[in-house]
Amino acid sequence: MEEPLYPIAVLIDELKNDDIQLRLNSIRRLSTIARALGEERTRKELIPFLSENNDDDDEVLLALAEELGVFIPYVGGVEYAHVLLPPLETLCTVEETCVRDKAVESLCRIGSQMRETDLVDWFIPLVKVRQLPFAEFVIMLIPYDLINCIYLLSIMIFHFLFLKNPVRLC
């Protein structure tokens, strides 16, 4: 069902509003904005905007981390799942623990759906760039879906042990 464009424009404007409640409302309706924009514009415009938007309110950031965890269909499917990693990577650096935890949970959810080659090309470098000690990263993953965690770790370990250019895990 098509949504009228005017309310979509209002939601987009509310993403930048000074009022926290309006921003929060808009973040919770990101899927509506993404459907209206379409997959390509969501990838090229909305996701970069969200990556650059450094909201200072933890409640808004928490909602954003949660929404992005289920955003794969709105960016074009698993083929484009990697575009969701930069805003979540940014959210992993926020001071508030609950925001970081939700960002890691969303990263795990997205990583568990990514193709193996994309994991190697996009997900593993994210861990490497952040220079997280491997043990710390494992501890961050364990509270979440254990099957997904084991899958991600097995890909990382395989990459480390058997491929030409291993990722430094520690």
Side-chain angles (χ1 to χ4, degrees), residues 25-42:
N25 175 53
S26 194
I27 291 292
R28 289 187 176 140
R29 308 259 334 258
L30 274 180
S31 60
T32 302
I33 295 170
R35 279 194 304 272
L37 291 175
E39 295 168 352
E40 185 174 354
R41 286 189 67 199
T42 296

Side-chain angles (χ1 to χ4, degrees), residues 1-162:
M1 194 170 189
E2 289 287 320
E3 302 234 8
L5 290 182
Y6 178 74
I8 302 301
V10 170
L11 286 174
I12 292 170
D13 285 342
E14 287 176 356
L15 285 171
K16 302 174 262 183
N17 198 295
D18 289 336
D19 184 332
I20 291 171
Q21 198 55 47
L22 290 176
R23 286 196 317 270
L24 189 57
N25 175 53
S26 194
I27 291 292
R28 289 187 176 140
R29 308 259 334 258
L30 274 180
S31 60
T32 302
I33 295 170
R35 279 194 304 272
L37 291 175
E39 295 168 352
E40 185 174 354
R41 286 189 67 199
T42 296
R43 286 191 306 270
K44 292 183 177 180
E45 297 173 32
L46 181 60
I47 299 302
F49 170 77
L50 295 172
S51 295
E52 295 166 4
N53 187 15
N54 297 324
D55 198 305
D56 58 343
D57 184 76
D58 294 332
E59 191 176 1
V60 174
L61 296 176
L62 181 63
L64 178 60
E66 188 171 355
E67 290 295 321
L68 290 176
V70 294
F71 227 65
I72 289 177
Y74 305 111
V75 296
V78 294
E79 180 180 351
Y80 298 101
H82 65 276
V83 302
L84 297 170
L85 300 181
L88 287 168
E89 178 183 10
T90 301
L91 292 169
C92 284
T93 66
V94 171
E95 187 176 332
E96 180 59 42
T97 306
C98 65
V99 174
R100 289 194 318 262
D101 288 348
K102 186 56 76 175
V104 170
E105 181 181 336
S106 291
L107 280 170
C108 290
R109 186 177 296 129
I110 290 167
S112 69
Q113 296 175 57
M114 291 174 77
R115 299 178 298 196
E116 188 172 322
T117 56
D118 290 338
L119 278 173
V120 170
D121 292 343
W122 299 97
F123 195 87
I124 292 174
L126 174 113
V127 178
K128 184 178 177 183
V129 166
R130 281 279 148 227
Q131 296 180 348
L132 286 174
F134 187 62
E136 181 182 328
F137 188 70
V138 170
I139 289 168
M140 287 170 45
L141 291 177
I142 287 176
Y144 305 107
D145 186 349
L146 191 55
I147 303 281
N148 293 336
C149 174
I150 291 169
Y151 173 71
L152 293 173
L153 292 174
S154 66
I155 296 297
M156 293 170 71
I157 291 167
F158 174 80
H159 185 65
F160 179 71
L161 294 176
F162 299 107

